[in-house]
Amino acid sequence: MTRRRIIEIVNYSYRIGQTGILHNVSMCVYEGEYLCVIGPNGAGKTTLLKCLDRINIGGQGVIRMSGRPLEEYSQKELAKLLSYVPQADMRMLPFSAGEFVLMGRYPHLSPFSALKPGDREIVEKAMKLTGTERFYHRPMGTLSGGECQKVLIAAALAQGAKVLLLDEPTTFLDPKHGEEVLGILARLNREEGITVVSVTHDINNAVLNGDRVVALREGSVRFAGPPAGLMNNSILEAIYDRRFLLTPHPQSGRMIVLPEDVVRQ
């Protein structure tokens, strides 16, 4: 069965002033897949997500969403298709977690319309799926980093978007909360059919969780394909300028990166 392309990027470039950030990027995202975007610092990963969500505008090339040019979407239409979960810490916002997730319903409301019972049901489901319903009345400022990240994902779900764009969703989280967030994303992808596009610095995260991986270096695509195709040093060295210790994962058998004992070398 042919998979439908929900996002298609063709020869897309983006500049900030005179500095080129993305260079002739061509890639696609298939409906229902879990795609990880990796690459070294400065590769253009976050910029790419912001161009997809039209936070960054003015690039050259073609971006299509569900076969339709990105520029043809109104912001509300785009918000019903895509939801962007940033790295930013939202705990300083003067809202409860429930109020913050309710704001995710904005694409479905008129400027002065009130929330309907159906909106509240969608918010309740989003918070249940992310395990955040117990935080409904908690001020955002009282949440831990992991709890806040789950609330951000709940707000993205409340938008009703088909695609989640996540910018390093486990950065600054301890192992327990990081695993919980990755588990939530995996369940949303597998059980709810949500398409996940996740930027990560963690190669192991990408190869263990992603259906496909796209690797950027200096704003260009250097690899796009299944995780198994990425995990050899001829490809990894071209992306990161270094070789890695690789070994099969004891449970899945997928190749992963081992940490090196650089202190003793």
Side-chain angles (χ1 to χ4, degrees):
M1 185 176 67
T2 302
R3 295 184 297 172
R4 188 170 77 93
R5 295 182 177 187
I6 196 164
I7 299 174
E8 187 175 11
I9 307 169
V10 183
N11 294 329
Y12 187 81
S13 299
Y14 184 80
R15 289 180 170 275
I16 296 178
Q18 298 302 311
T19 303
I21 308 297
L22 299 174
H23 307 284
N24 295 315
V25 170
S26 292
M27 57 174 281
C28 63
V29 181
Y30 294 103
E31 189 174 33
E33 80 170 337
Y34 194 129
L35 179 76
C36 290
V37 181
I38 65 168
N41 288 337
K45 304 182 297 296
T46 295
T47 297
L48 177 64
L49 290 192
K50 289 182 176 180
C51 289
L52 293 178
D53 200 36
R54 220 160 50 193
I55 296 169
N56 291 341
I57 59 174
Q60 294 183 320
V62 176
I63 298 178
R64 299 188 188 95
M65 301 290 175
S66 294
R68 182 179 166 193
L70 179 61
E71 60 269 19
E72 291 185 2
Y73 283 83
S74 70
Q75 204 58 36
K76 276 196 171 185
E77 287 177 318
L78 188 61
K80 292 176 183 178
L81 179 64
L82 300 179
S83 185
Y84 175 62
V85 180
Q87 289 186 48
D89 190 341
M90 299 295 184
R91 286 177 289 177
M92 298 303 292
L93 294 175
F95 305 110
S96 69
E99 288 170 336
F100 183 79
V101 178
L102 281 167
M103 292 177 191
R105 294 302 296 159
Y106 81 91
H108 306 273
L109 302 174
S110 301
F112 301 103
S113 64
L115 288 167
K116 302 179 181 64
D119 294 310
R120 295 190 181 277
E121 290 172 7
I122 289 168
V123 166
E124 289 171 4
K125 179 181 179 182
M127 297 189 79
K128 183 176 181 179
L129 285 171
T130 53
T132 56
E133 64 268 40
R134 66 187 185 279
F135 306 142
Y136 192 95
H137 297 290
R138 285 263 304 272
M140 292 290 286
T142 68
L143 302 178
S144 71
E147 292 166 346
C148 182
Q149 188 70 349
K150 293 175 189 177
V151 170
L152 293 182
I153 295 171
L157 289 177
Q159 278 186 220
K162 299 176 182 178
V163 182
L164 289 183
L165 307 176
L166 301 115
D167 192 1
E168 299 187 39
T170 59
T171 296
F172 309 123
L173 301 187
D174 61 56
K176 177 178 180 293
H177 282 103
E179 289 175 6
E180 288 177 352
V181 166
L182 292 176
I184 289 169
L185 296 176
R187 287 195 303 275
L188 293 175
N189 175 250
R190 183 176 61 249
E191 298 173 9
E192 303 296 321
I194 300 293
T195 302
V196 174
V197 181
S198 180
V199 161
T200 180
H201 275 296
D202 188 334
I203 298 172
N204 288 339
N205 171 357
V207 300
L208 292 174
N209 296 294
D211 298 317
R212 284 193 308 126
V213 179
V214 169
L216 297 180
R217 177 187 168 92
E218 297 177 346
S220 298
V221 175
R222 300 299 178 92
F223 174 86
L230 172 73
M231 297 303 283
N232 71 74
N233 268 310
S234 63
I235 293 175
L236 290 172
E237 190 170 7
I239 298 166
Y240 290 100
D241 276 337
R242 57 158 295 185
R243 298 181 70 80
F244 295 87
L245 293 175
L246 304 176
T247 190
H249 190 281
Q251 294 176 320
S252 69
R254 289 190 175 191
M255 296 298 291
I256 59 172
V257 173
L258 284 179
E260 296 188 42
D261 190 358
V262 295
V263 175
R264 298 177 184 273
Q265 291 181 5

